Amino acid sequence: MDQTNIPLVSVRNCRQAYHKEASADLVVLDNVDLTLHEGEIVALLGRSGSGKSTLLRIVAGLLKPTSGEVNWRGKPLTGPAPGVAMVFQSFALFPWLTVQENVELGLEALRVKKDDREERSEEAIDLIGLGGYDGAYPKELSGGMRQRVGLARALVVHPDLLLMDEPFSALDVLTAETLRTDLIDLWMDGKLPVKSILIVTHNIEEAVLMADRILVFSSNPGRVAHELKVPFAHPRNRFDPAFREMVDDIYGIMTRRKAPEVHTATAAAPNPFAHVLHPVGTNLIAGLLETLKSEPYNGRADLPALAAALQFEVDELLPLGETLSMLGFAELEEGDIIITETGRRFADAETEDRKEIFAEALRTHVPLIGAIRGVIDQRSNHRAAAVRFRDQLEDHMSPEYAEETLRTVISWGRYAEIFEYDEEAQQFGLEEEDEEETED
Ligand code: ADP
Ligand code: MG
């Protein structure tokens, strides 16, 4: 522990806004405070789009916040922080470099001599369990091994702070779990050449499994809404009732604070292009509603219990639950999900009726659907290019979320037969019969 008690990092009253030409600035972070001390693992837990990656870049000194203070060991940060290394979800390896060369890259910026570079990268590669793969290329490795390379590249610089941005979310469940426990084992044995770890995740169980402290991040704009200490010793057991209770509590916190936002959003005639839609397929929606209305749930289920029964990761169920609630098919209440009358009607209906109920829900709750259909209807050829809607979405969200939202609205609109979409031409249009009626 640092004897002087000066935190490794402290972020005070931080705000990040992105300028938008066509509309009001997008405030991503507001009033964010965060302190990291040596010797701790801290998890930053929040849903997609809440600003976690943005905050991570600010902590690393890669992005200067619109306002607020970032201090490293008590001194203001003015550029990329020394002594920080990052691990990304996407691994970010160079395909044309071997494992060893990818790992050594971490050292080049530090001007370490060739011999030392080799020795240190070998050390990092062995530590992380990749001994013998020094000469392999990324494409020859499994996803789990690639992420081990990403870890070795971060560790080889012996950073004070290891920043991890959803490092396990691109891996399958078992591989992710092995990596988590390997990392915690190394940390507990004092073998990791780092002083502190900040891990960003949207996975509640991952946070409870790994962290000493969890910062629950709220969205719109992002801020640290809750802080929880995790009192369990390592190795932790997911099935321990106290562990389960903590996961449940956090679940409650994360669903509780969402509810009022949804209501205010619908009340205030929302901008159709300002809301991220989660990529939740209609099959999944139907499956969940059917399960929920039947035995043993009979319309009401504890979300973590339902996740376990359906073999979902708990965090996969959160966007699904939110989507159902947004569409008016279910309500979320303190970690429970309760089917609504409309949800029940949908679950009981046959395919054609389901499409109609879904179309009605979309028209009522997803203004984007109406906006797209409106443009198609106005055009004499009944076609509208996707790019125009993508641009409008990008006024309010990053290109990735805009794409995700567009893909989701396409699949929902097709299912509900509100419009057609031509993949090749990237155009919205109407179903053939509709079109013939109105053409010529
Ligand atoms: P998270 O990592 O929690 O998913 P991000 O930090 O990636 O969230 O993004 C937070 C919000 O900021 C999102 O709404 C995203 O669309 C927006 N955003 C991120 N980067 C940019 C950017 N360079 N320009 C405009 N908006 C951005
Ligand atoms: Mg992110």
Side-chain angles (χ1 to χ4, degrees):
M1 267 293 190
D2 196 326
Q3 284 156 341
T4 54
N5 224 1
I6 295 178
L8 187 58
V9 180
S10 93
V11 173
R12 289 286 156 265
N13 206 0
C14 197
R15 176 185 172 89
Q16 178 64 32
Y18 290 108
H19 181 63
K20 295 290 178 186
E21 287 305 330
S23 52
D25 286 357
L26 176 70
V27 180
V28 174
L29 301 175
D30 198 22
N31 243 316
V32 172
D33 288 307
L34 167 121
T35 309
L36 294 175
H37 291 279
E38 288 194 1
E40 60 175 355
I41 301 182
V42 174
L44 190 62
L45 178 65
R47 43 192 84 192
S48 296
S50 60
K52 303 181 300 296
S53 295
T54 304
L55 180 56
L56 216 58
R57 289 169 58 221
I58 289 172
V59 168
L62 299 174
L63 179 68
K64 186 175 159 38
T66 312
S67 64
E69 257 179 62
V70 184
N71 287 307
W72 265 75
R73 298 195 187 281
K75 299 219 176 64
L77 188 64
T78 52
V84 67
M86 276 239 223
V87 178
F88 303 93
Q89 175 184 354
S90 59
F91 318 148
L93 304 179
F94 293 98
W96 59 88
L97 298 180
T98 64
V99 167
Q100 163 124 19
E101 288 163 342
N102 265 292
V103 173
E104 277 189 32
L105 266 191
L107 289 172
E108 255 165 42
L110 300 183
R111 302 213 178 89
V112 178
K113 283 204 284 319
K114 178 98 179 103
D115 286 357
D116 293 347
R117 281 215 301 262
E118 266 175 38
E119 194 182 315
R120 279 176 68 172
S121 61
E122 223 157 273
E123 223 171 81
I125 288 167
D126 286 346
L127 180 72
I128 212 70
L130 277 179
Y133 287 92
D134 311 55
Y137 287 91
K139 68 167 188 297
E140 300 168 315
L141 305 177
S142 66
M145 289 162 87
R146 284 182 209 173
Q147 191 53 305
R148 285 178 194 266
V149 181
L151 266 163
R153 184 179 55 196
L155 294 174
V156 74
V157 302
H158 299 182
D160 285 344
L161 176 61
L162 179 64
L163 295 175
M164 306 178 86
D165 195 352
E166 312 215 8
F168 310 119
S169 54
L171 304 171
D172 66 83
V173 176
L174 283 179
T175 307
E177 192 68 356
T178 311
L179 246 80
R180 286 182 198 115
T181 39
D182 284 3
L183 194 72
I184 292 294
D185 287 349
L186 289 171
W187 170 260
M188 293 313 293
D189 291 346
K191 287 185 183 149
L192 282 187
V194 306
K195 301 213 166 83
S196 169
I197 299 179
L198 177 61
I199 176 167
V200 159
T201 177
H202 61 259
N203 183 329
I204 299 173
E205 299 213 5
E206 178 169 289
V208 179
L209 194 79
M210 297 183 71
D212 301 308
R213 203 150 55 91
I214 299 176
L215 307 175
V216 182
F217 219 58
S218 68
S219 324
N220 295 321
R223 70 170 51 141
V224 179
H226 292 264
E227 177 174 341
L228 302 107
K229 282 212 170 356
V230 186
F232 317 126
H234 289 292
R236 293 176 185 167
N237 176 1
R238 282 174 189 272
F239 302 106
D240 178 354
F243 187 108
R244 300 309 327 160
E245 199 180 315
M246 184 155 203
V247 170
D248 254 31
D249 287 349
I250 299 176
Y251 225 100
I253 290 170
M254 290 178 79
T255 47
R256 188 163 59 225
R257 59 182 26 263
K258 191 67 191 172
E261 282 173 15
V262 172
H263 290 302
T264 47
T266 30
N271 180 328
F273 299 97
H275 291 275
V276 174
L277 299 178
H278 298 298
V280 175
T282 47
N283 276 336
L284 207 52
I285 291 175
L288 187 65
L289 287 174
E290 282 165 19
T291 310
L292 189 56
K293 73 147 206 197
S294 319
E295 297 279 344
Y297 306 109
N298 297 316
R300 180 181 193 124
D302 175 51
L303 273 172
L306 190 63
L310 295 171
Q311 303 202 314
F312 271 109
E313 289 283 297
V314 163
D315 60 291
E316 285 176 303
L317 205 54
L318 206 57
L320 184 52
E322 265 169 30
T323 302
L324 289 181
S325 126
M326 188 258 302
L327 292 170
F329 290 155
E331 279 163 17
L332 295 175
E333 199 183 282
E334 302 282 320
D336 279 6
I337 182 165
I338 306 140
I339 199 165
T340 60
E341 215 23 67
T342 320
R344 207 178 277 279
R345 264 204 304 127
F346 180 92
D348 289 336
E350 300 294 330
T351 309
E352 282 312 303
D353 290 335
R354 278 188 175 182
K355 285 176 182 241
E356 255 168 55
I357 297 167
F358 198 73
E360 181 59 32
L362 290 180
R363 287 194 201 96
T364 315
H365 301 289
V366 185
L368 181 56
I369 284 274
I372 294 174
R373 176 68 201 235
V375 172
I376 302 171
D377 286 339
Q378 276 169 22
R379 297 285 173 80
S380 56
N381 64 356
H382 297 293
R383 312 210 138 257
V387 62
R388 127 187 216 148
F389 304 114
R390 189 179 288 120
D391 285 349
Q392 278 175 285
L393 288 167
E394 284 183 15
D395 284 342
H396 300 276
M397 59 189 75
S398 69
E400 294 77 42
Y401 288 117
E403 185 58 29
E404 199 169 287
T405 299
L406 199 61
R407 292 313 318 175
T408 305
V409 87
I410 289 170
S411 87
W412 290 358
R414 277 174 159 172
Y415 173 78
E417 298 177 5
I418 293 177
F419 46 64
E420 256 314 313
Y421 185 72
D422 180 341
E423 293 287 349
E424 213 159 300
Q426 303 211 14
Q427 276 183 341
F428 288 91
L430 294 181
E431 288 243 347
E432 227 129 74
E433 315 104 79
D434 298 3
E435 224 175 307
E436 274 157 22
E437 278 167 28
T438 41
E439 250 174 6
D440 300 319

